[in-house]
């Protein structure tokens, strides 16, 4: 019941705060969801950008070596309480909005294939 409430809190915060170009899964259970950036944007580059904004997540390439999830982020609701989830999603949404306001380009990061 605790994780279900945390998941619902996160989904509502995402609905409220995240830019419309971004999508995410709505899991039936578990401890995390997958957030998808527009094609061409790297979750690794976003991770480095978001850290400076005070929020973190797990970049998609940690879960796949075939570059299927380069533009995806795994976001957990397992450890944070509802207030932390709301604050974290607001910080992440702000970072994502700023990050995707510029076209994808050369981030200076290597190993990302055609994703920057």
């Amino acid at each position: 019941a605790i994780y279900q409430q945390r998941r619902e809190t996160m989904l509502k915060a995402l609905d409220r705060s995240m830019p419309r170009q971004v999508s995410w899964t709505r899991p039936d259970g578990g401890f995390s969801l997958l957030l998808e950036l527009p094609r061409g944007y790297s979750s690794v580059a976003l991770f480095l950008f978001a850290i400076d904004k005070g929020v973190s997540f797990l970049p998609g390439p940690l879960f796949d070596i075939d570059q299927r999830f380069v533009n995806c982020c795994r976001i957990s609701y397992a450890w944070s309480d509802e207030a932390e989830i709301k604050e974290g999603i607001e910080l992440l949404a702000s970072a994502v909005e700023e990050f995707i306001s510029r076209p994808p380009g050369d981030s200076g990061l290597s190993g990302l294939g055609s994703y920057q």
Side-chain angles (χ1 to χ4, degrees), residues 8-23:
E8 291 307 311
T9 297
M10 183 173 282
L11 290 171
K12 287 177 185 176
L14 287 165
D15 286 338
R16 185 174 49 254
S17 302
M18 199 56 66
R20 63 176 173 73
Q21 304 95 314
V22 177
S23 61

Side-chain angles (χ1 to χ4, degrees), residues 3 34 39 94 108 114-115:
Y3 297 120
L34 196 66
R39 300 252 342 128
S94 176
S114 61
Y115 288 87

